[in-house]
Amino acid sequence: MGLFNAVLSLSGAIDTDVIEDERLARHTSYRIGGRASLFITCHSYHALRRAVEVLAREQVPWVIIGKGSNLLVADSGYDGAVITLGREFQRSVLAEDGVTLTVGAGAMLARLVNDALSRSLAGLEFAVGIPGTVGGAVSMNAGTRDEWIGSLVQDVVTYRPGVGLCHYAHDDVFWGYRETGIPRDEIILEVTLKLHPGEKADIRSKMERSLQRRRKTQPIGSASCGSVFRNPAGRSVGAMVEECGLKGFSVGGAEVSDLHANFIVNNGTATASDVVAVIQHVYEKVKETYGVELKPEVKFLGF
Ligand SMILES: Cc1cc2nc3c(=O)[nH]c(=O)nc-3n(C[C@H](O)[C@H](O)[C@H](O)COP(=O)(O)OP(=O)(O)OC[C@H]3O[C@@H](n4cnc5c(N)ncnc54)[C@H](O)[C@@H]3O)c2cc1C
């Protein structure tokens, strides 16, 4: 592959930051992961389009990430380019109707949630405490068991490599539990959400209740990727793993959390192989005990 040519073409390109051989542990909430051949931040649509075109021409594989809060990256890293969205993708605009908010996919979800609170707009309270970007949240249809971001989405703009901009209305897309029908090879650029007017005090107290619940039930101070497995219909993975007696089960520096058994935490020394070994053990035990084959929610890169 023409990695060298790709670096030559992209170094110094407008609105593009290129880092070679970047440690991905710096870009994941797990604080785990080897190096990516290239780490590219694109600050504008034109820069993004050019980067993707150069990578395609030079046959360098690439992947888009947000803040890496749902990612497990292999210890050997990723033999390709990791792309993230920079400045131009962090803006937000409120429409004249006062309830329709358009936000760039690179913006932090937490900022969006706080923005909505400060404008007395309700609907996003469930998302408080979910790390990551708006693009990552829409790609994962992030949320709780009962509420997810897709139900607020009115419109999504993506970049389809080789084609250009694509627009999807809410009903054009399948929105399921931790999944969407947005094609995986497209990059989400911008999202329009329909919120509704609310009382600031009510919004704030709903957010506080939600945060308190998180603090009580999740190891938010430890490095993790959130829930590792998706809950099967009508069941809780946390409860199943706990009933298998796996709380505290560890391999190397990776451990099933004592607080929430669907979280596998990095105690500071875990490698990706440690985490994978714990995931495999949990998967096997749950299958043996319940006959249920768990599906991962975490995304794997470089395996
Ligand atoms: C402590 C903790 C608590 C968590 N709690 C929750 C929770 O309650 N609910 C929940 O749903 N999740 C939760 N998560 C998981 C995670 O925060 C979410 O999945 C989040 O939405 C991921 O956003 P990100 O920007 O970090 O995406 P990343 O982890 O960087 O990427 C996730 C996926 O999205 C894709 N992606 C990212 N950006 C784009 C883009 N612009 N266009 C196309 N695809 C893109 C990536 O390719 C990847 O497949 C938690 C994680 C942690 C660490």
Side-chain angles (χ1 to χ4, degrees):
M1 68 188 181
L3 194 63
F4 179 71
N5 291 340
V7 174
L8 276 188
S9 301
L10 293 174
S11 297
I14 286 177
D15 285 340
T16 311
D17 298 333
V18 182
I19 310 176
E20 288 180 70
D21 224 17
E22 173 72 345
R23 273 185 62 224
L24 291 177
R26 296 186 58 222
H27 302 279
T28 65
S29 57
Y30 247 140
R31 309 265 170 270
I32 291 174
R35 291 173 190 275
S37 315
L38 293 180
F39 190 88
I40 305 173
T41 307
C42 298
H43 296 287
S44 67
Y45 171 63
H46 290 290
L48 176 69
R49 196 173 170 139
R50 181 171 151 72
V52 169
E53 282 169 1
V54 166
L55 295 169
R57 187 189 73 208
E58 299 302 333
Q59 297 183 359
V60 177
W62 59 268
V63 64
I64 176 87
I65 70 164
K67 282 288 166 189
S69 62
N70 200 43
L71 278 189
L72 180 62
V73 179
D75 298 316
S76 54
Y78 176 62
D79 198 8
V82 169
I83 302 177
T84 59
L85 302 177
R87 287 188 297 273
E88 191 181 275
F89 303 100
Q90 301 185 2
R91 298 187 191 143
S92 66
V93 181
L94 184 66
E96 274 179 16
D97 65 8
V99 291
T100 308
L101 200 57
T102 298
V103 59
M108 296 300 289
L109 184 61
R111 208 194 78 197
L112 175 66
V113 171
N114 284 326
D115 235 37
L117 169 67
S118 66
R119 296 175 197 269
S120 299
L121 290 174
L124 271 168
E125 298 90 322
F126 69 88
V128 67
I130 302 180
T133 61
V134 170
V138 170
S139 168
M140 293 300 303
N141 197 11
T144 61
R145 262 169 181 260
D146 317 308
E147 293 177 277
W148 51 49
I149 196 162
S151 56
L152 300 170
V153 171
Q154 196 176 55
D155 200 57
V156 180
V157 180
T158 69
Y159 167 54
R160 186 184 297 166
V163 176
L165 294 176
C166 296
H167 291 257
Y168 297 97
H170 175 89
D171 291 346
D172 296 338
V173 175
F174 163 76
W175 301 98
Y177 169 63
R178 299 298 176 274
E179 59 177 337
T180 76
I182 297 170
R184 296 237 58 100
D185 62 341
E186 294 184 15
I187 299 176
I188 299 165
L189 302 179
E190 189 178 275
V191 181
T192 300
L193 303 166
K194 187 88 171 182
L195 303 174
H196 55 272
E199 286 297 327
K200 199 174 268 184
D202 295 343
I203 299 170
R204 184 176 282 119
S205 76
K206 198 172 168 198
M207 282 167 64
E208 276 165 7
R209 278 199 305 277
S210 184
L211 269 181
Q212 264 170 15
R213 203 169 41 243
R214 269 180 196 279
R215 284 197 199 103
K216 245 197 230 156
T217 58
Q218 297 180 0
I220 46 181
S222 306
S224 80
C225 66
S227 294
V228 170
F229 296 103
R230 302 205 246 172
N231 287 311
R235 306 183 88 152
S236 151
V237 173
M240 290 162 101
V241 177
E242 188 173 347
E243 279 158 27
C244 290
L246 289 175
K247 270 190 166 177
F249 172 81
S250 68
V251 175
E255 182 179 322
V256 175
S257 163
D258 272 332
L259 213 50
H260 191 316
N262 196 14
F263 277 57
I264 296 172
V265 297
N266 169 10
N267 72 13
T269 60
T271 61
S273 324
D274 294 340
V275 178
V276 167
V278 176
I279 290 177
Q280 270 165 351
H281 185 74
V282 169
Y283 174 88
E284 291 302 338
K285 277 282 174 201
V286 168
K287 189 173 163 196
E288 203 179 291
T289 311
Y290 297 97
V292 172
E293 297 192 31
L294 294 176
K295 296 203 167 57
E297 180 172 322
V298 58
K299 300 287 179 192
F300 297 92
L301 181 62
F303 288 89

